[in-house]
Amino acid sequence: PGYVSTPSDASLNLDKVKLIELRARGRFGSVWKAQLVTDYVAVKIFPLQEKQSWMTEQEIYNLPQMSHDNVLRFIASEKRGENLNIELWLLTEFHENGSLYDYLKAHVLTWSQICKIAETVASGLAFLHDEIPPTSTLEAKPAVAHRDFKSKNVLLKSDLSACVADFGLALKFEPGKAPGETHGLVGTRRYMAPEVLEGAICFNRDAFLRIDMYACGLVLWELLTRCNAAEGPVGEYQLPFEAVQEVGQHPSLETMQEYVVNRKMRPLLHDHWKRHPGMASIASTIEECWDQDAEARLSAGCVQERIAALTRTLNS
Ligand code: ADE
């Protein structure tokens, strides 16, 4: 879209933003569909006590070389109002399909849709995790860990390619610098890797990236649960570990620890998935993402490459 361009665009007059419809409510604020002149945009409004998430999210979007097809496009951020009425706004591109979570709840997916979503999810995460060297005009992009990766934080564009969103907890790793404040137990319990649930406190860059990959395994599992390619039933959408015999709707930390750390449980990979060669291959990729041993997990780049190769062999 023409009007909304760069974050530093001085012609961007945010007084012209009209909020249209509340689309999502989260821990860190609410997301609105809004109109800016002729374009729809998404406006995330943070409560004042979430100022740190708002700051972190802007900082991540404004890193050099941060634009990528599979990362949500940032438009602008602004502190609105004064004194007791301060609101913290973050404008991004708007995607009518909403989050992957919203979409999976409402739709069953074909094999080619699964492939596209899985590959673009991995591509967005691989880009985020990668360090990109400086160019003659641009500084290096540091590696970034997301730290709250889940299906609610992946958005689907109109062509069903994915983009990663929600960087309020993200951490950047600039070579030679200490990362920011890194207390361990952040993110969404349901998606926490065993080492996070265990309360390990000292993670380095690679350890943080592996924590994202555990969550990526759960998101890929969510995708397979809604795929109609194999012969066998496709049930109602459920979050990872949501099934009644598992941890239910609002698991406590203790419940998640017992399940994921002590009993080393993972969501069920159905037998009938293994009779479809492509789904079987994604199922083994998933197992290599959520391995108890963090060092054995696949990298995002490797997941992306595997799914790309799979798409080439099975769809050609
Ligand atoms: N929900 C959260 N962020 C969104 C966005 N940018 N577009 C559409 N729905 C969203």
Side-chain angles (χ1 to χ4, degrees):
Y3 183 83
V4 179
S5 52
T6 63
S8 55
D9 187 345
S11 70
L12 201 90
N13 183 351
L14 298 190
D15 296 340
K16 290 182 181 148
V17 178
K18 292 194 197 81
L19 301 182
I20 297 171
E21 186 194 352
L22 181 62
R23 297 290 290 229
R25 229 174 226 297
R27 236 180 326 169
F28 300 122
S30 43
V31 178
W32 291 77
K33 177 179 185 175
Q35 196 162 10
L36 180 55
V37 193
T38 55
D39 292 323
Y40 289 126
V41 296
V43 178
K44 185 162 162 188
I45 304 181
F46 297 73
L48 198 51
Q49 65 268 27
E50 291 301 337
K51 184 166 185 182
Q52 190 53 54
S53 311
W54 175 73
M55 298 286 292
T56 301
E57 190 151 17
Q58 291 175 64
E59 182 193 3
I60 298 294
Y61 279 122
N62 284 320
L63 288 171
Q65 306 190 69
M66 250 312 268
S67 53
H68 188 273
D69 282 348
N70 307 117
V71 170
L72 181 61
R73 193 171 64 86
F74 173 74
I75 296 168
S77 61
E78 190 180 59
K79 201 170 187 165
R80 294 211 149 198
E82 45 203 61
N83 304 320
L84 294 173
N85 293 316
I86 292 177
E87 280 186 343
L88 307 171
W89 284 28
L90 188 99
L91 271 70
T92 62
E93 197 160 41
F94 177 74
H95 298 293
E96 189 62 48
N97 280 329
S99 70
L100 176 59
Y101 168 81
D102 297 329
Y103 200 83
L104 291 177
K105 278 208 300 192
H107 303 269
V108 167
L109 303 178
T110 65
W111 171 244
S112 72
Q113 291 174 325
I114 294 289
C115 286
K116 181 163 194 177
I117 298 172
E119 188 179 344
T120 51
V121 163
S123 160
L125 204 49
F127 173 79
L128 198 65
H129 285 182
D130 270 348
E131 212 172 278
I132 300 176
T135 68
S136 59
T137 52
L138 299 166
E139 286 182 75
K141 172 201 166 289
V144 174
H146 189 288
R147 295 207 299 167
D148 197 17
F149 194 70
K150 55 177 172 174
S151 54
K152 286 180 181 171
N153 289 342
V154 171
L155 301 174
L156 288 184
K157 305 192 202 187
S158 51
D159 67 354
L160 286 198
S161 60
C163 58
V164 181
D166 258 284
F167 299 104
L169 284 172
L171 271 184
K172 61 175 181 184
F173 302 94
E174 285 165 324
K177 284 195 206 166
E181 165 279 316
T182 60
H183 59 87
L185 209 68
V186 300
T188 304
R189 283 180 204 141
R190 183 182 301 282
Y191 288 87
M192 282 178 183
E195 63 274 23
V196 176
L197 290 165
E198 249 180 324
I201 39 167
C202 193
F203 296 120
N204 59 22
R205 182 193 97 153
D206 289 350
F208 278 113
L209 303 187
R210 289 169 185 141
I211 290 167
D212 280 350
M213 292 317 295
Y214 170 88
C216 180
L218 296 179
V219 169
L220 294 175
W221 173 87
E222 292 173 68
L223 273 176
L224 285 198
T225 64
R226 299 292 279 161
C227 177
N228 65 11
E231 235 165 285
V234 178
E236 289 286 298
Y237 172 79
Q238 288 191 310
L239 285 162
F241 304 114
E242 186 180 354
V244 271
Q245 71 278 20
E246 298 181 293
V247 307
Q249 290 265 318
H250 301 287
S252 67
L253 206 52
E254 292 71 23
T255 302
M256 290 306 301
Q257 285 165 339
E258 174 58 22
Y259 211 77
V260 171
V261 180
N262 302 339
R263 293 162 61 190
K264 302 185 172 48
M265 301 292 272
R266 298 294 184 271
L268 183 62
L269 296 163
H270 290 277
D271 284 334
H272 69 268
W273 299 352
K274 295 174 190 158
R275 295 193 285 271
H276 180 282
M279 287 179 77
S281 168
I282 294 190
S284 14
T285 299
I286 290 171
E287 289 183 296
E288 289 186 68
C289 286
W290 68 30
D291 203 299
Q292 202 80 7
D293 175 7
E295 293 188 18
R297 291 179 201 148
L298 295 177
S299 69
C302 184
V303 172
Q304 181 189 0
E305 194 38 58
R306 281 206 190 176
I307 297 169
L310 178 65
T311 309
R312 284 195 297 269
T313 53
L314 293 169
N315 299 351
S316 62

